[in-house]
Amino acid sequence: MRRTPRQERSREMVERIVDAGRTVLARDGYARFATTRVATEAGISPGSLYQYFRDKEELLGVLMERYWAEAGDRVAASLADRLAEPPELLVPHAVDALLSALEQDSRLLRVVVEEVPPSFHEDHLHRLRRRVRDLGAAYLAARAPGRPDGATRAWVLVSAMEALSVRWILDRPAVRREELIEEITALVTPYAFRPEKP
């Protein structure tokens, strides 16, 4: 950001701009995302916006960082107290937590996935994946100490769960949410907790 807000009033202004930016991006899409539209949505002048953000690319970068960080916070908070649960309880809860985090703003998710160039958000998405993957790897390590492939299995599991969750939210197939959770659980549980090869 061009200027780091230190006073409460400045912090409130930044939050106002970021909230307006999310609204404009979700409503109008990436191609029509512009600082003038964000300023209008926020009820401020473009000059006020430019005190904090150099251009729309800088604002978009902050939006993407916050978007994926918030999703990661929701998933991590939902799973943190459940790592002692048996797999048959933890796996469906993990799927539900991921779905809930991504469903918070499905219109924005669609724009992010289908329109925003990856250069704006792929690093932030990787951080989310890493957070969830690390939780999964810690859980797998506790369940099967000494197995060397926990990080690999966690990566495969998180990637599969994320891909299926995103497609379900965006495609809206004739599959109920509960069914999806059951099917993903049935898909990933045998893989996650399969016995070690001799």
Side-chain angles (χ1 to χ4, degrees):
M1 287 175 56
R2 167 173 280 180
R3 175 174 147 198
T4 302
R6 291 187 171 82
Q7 296 181 343
E8 183 65 25
R9 186 175 170 190
S10 296
R11 287 194 292 271
E12 288 174 0
M13 177 61 79
V14 168
E15 291 308 310
R16 190 169 165 185
I17 293 168
V18 170
D19 288 345
R22 286 180 75 140
T23 299
V24 170
L25 186 61
R27 183 189 66 215
D28 300 342
Y30 172 73
R32 300 181 71 203
F33 183 75
T35 53
T36 51
R37 287 173 181 264
V38 175
T40 299
E41 181 69 28
I44 61 174
S45 69
S48 295
L49 185 149
Y50 289 129
Q51 289 181 23
Y52 299 97
F53 299 96
R54 288 182 185 87
D55 49 34
K56 74 174 189 178
E57 285 76 19
E58 188 171 65
L59 175 56
L60 188 60
V62 171
L63 286 173
M64 293 299 92
E65 180 179 13
R66 289 201 184 182
Y67 176 76
W68 290 117
E70 288 168 10
D73 288 346
R74 286 191 291 266
V75 174
S78 183
L79 294 180
D81 296 331
R82 294 182 171 265
L83 294 179
E85 289 183 346
E88 61 271 16
L89 295 179
L90 181 72
V91 172
H93 189 80
V95 176
D96 182 61
L98 184 58
L99 280 171
S100 296
L102 295 174
E103 282 177 313
Q104 284 288 39
D105 192 340
S106 59
R107 285 196 315 163
L108 184 56
L109 175 67
R110 181 177 300 281
V111 174
V112 170
V113 170
E114 297 180 352
E115 299 179 27
V116 175
S119 59
F120 283 104
H121 67 92
E122 60 187 1
D123 288 345
H124 308 303
L125 176 56
H126 287 319
R127 282 191 204 102
L128 163 63
R129 290 173 177 151
R130 193 173 322 122
R131 286 181 73 181
V132 179
R133 187 180 68 225
D134 289 348
L135 284 170
Y139 181 79
L140 292 170
R143 291 275 157 181
R147 282 194 63 170
D149 62 344
T152 300
R153 283 184 298 149
W155 180 87
V156 171
L157 291 167
V158 169
S159 298
M161 288 169 27
E162 176 206 330
L164 290 167
S165 297
V166 167
R167 287 309 349 142
W168 182 80
I169 292 168
L170 298 186
D171 297 346
R172 288 297 177 198
V175 177
R176 289 182 297 108
R177 194 177 197 279
E178 297 75 20
E179 287 180 297
L180 177 70
I181 292 172
E182 288 177 11
E183 292 301 319
I184 294 178
T185 299
L187 178 71
V188 305
T189 302
Y191 169 75
F193 303 102
R194 75 192 191 285
E196 186 173 8
K197 294 176 183 177

